[in-house]
Amino acid sequence: NTLHAVGVEPTINDDDKRTFLRSILGNKDYEKKYKLFDTVEVTMVDRTVELTERMYDQLAEDAKDGSFQKFKIENEEQWDMWADRYRMAAMVRSISGLAPTVQLYVIPEKFFDRIQEFMKLPKPMYVALMEATRAFEEHVRLLTEKAQEPGFWRAGGKSLR
């Protein structure tokens, strides 16, 4: 279930529904793969509430301890950009197809360190990765919203179970 992430509106297909339901019932991470530039595959994983809290706590700590000192953050738009970067660091589970292949299966101890690694990528790859993160977040939001509607869990008249 791989999607081309850049420029694609989030959609929900039957495989997404099945995977989402299994993740909920099995108390597991929901994940989805996106294809970037037809050769790179990125696996995105939804954040738990605990991971989200840790991510925002680290963002606040890093802002206080001077980690951002070399970056000029002067307005809300720039803070939003850093929040997006922290979300990307928290949700990218793996990247394959780059030379050398990058595997990031572990949740980082320090999100800022992973962001620094992402910033070393070529700009088109970095931008595509950010777009994939945003697309995945919107996909999960849409799944969560639609899952509460009657009939969502049926596909073609059949149960998804």
Side-chain angles (χ1 to χ4, degrees):
N1 192 9
T2 303
L3 284 183
H4 287 50
V6 181
V8 173
E9 289 296 315
T11 58
I12 299 171
N13 60 40
D14 289 347
D15 285 339
D16 294 331
K17 291 178 183 182
R18 279 186 204 93
T19 306
F20 189 66
L21 180 60
R22 286 183 189 127
S23 73
I24 292 169
L25 297 177
N27 196 26
K28 297 184 183 217
D29 294 334
Y30 174 70
E31 66 178 54
K32 188 168 185 70
K33 295 179 188 299
Y34 290 89
K35 200 77 150 167
L36 308 177
F37 305 110
D38 280 335
T39 57
V40 176
E41 187 174 82
V42 60
T43 303
M44 307 296 294
V45 179
D46 193 27
R47 298 182 317 266
T48 62
V49 174
E50 180 182 7
L51 182 61
T52 301
E53 290 298 317
R54 189 169 68 112
M55 180 190 75
Y56 283 117
D57 287 347
Q58 280 190 25
L59 175 60
E61 281 175 36
D62 292 344
K64 286 180 188 171
D65 76 7
S67 294
F68 297 147
Q69 203 163 20
K70 72 178 186 177
F71 304 100
K72 300 252 188 268
I73 301 176
E74 299 169 345
N75 58 46
E76 192 172 325
E77 186 177 303
Q78 290 167 331
W79 277 113
D80 287 345
M81 178 188 65
W82 275 98
D84 281 348
R85 288 173 174 167
Y86 274 72
R87 284 191 286 273
M88 180 172 65
M91 293 191 309
V92 171
R93 181 60 52 94
S94 69
I95 303 171
S96 60
L98 290 175
T101 297
V102 178
Q103 296 292 341
L104 302 169
Y105 285 107
V106 235
I107 295 169
E109 197 58 40
K110 288 280 292 161
F111 294 103
F112 187 76
D113 294 343
R114 181 170 284 175
I115 291 166
Q116 295 293 93
E117 289 301 311
F118 287 153
M119 290 176 133
K120 294 176 186 172
L121 293 170
K123 186 175 180 182
M125 181 56 64
Y126 178 87
V127 170
L129 196 56
M130 184 64 77
E131 287 300 315
T133 302
R134 290 178 180 139
F136 179 68
E137 244 187 342
E138 180 60 16
H139 174 77
V140 171
R141 186 201 63 74
L142 194 59
L143 265 171
T144 304
E145 180 182 299
K146 297 286 184 187
Q148 299 173 55
E149 295 176 4
F152 176 81
W153 297 110
R154 295 210 169 269
K158 296 187 278 185
S159 173
L160 287 171
R161 294 177 195 203

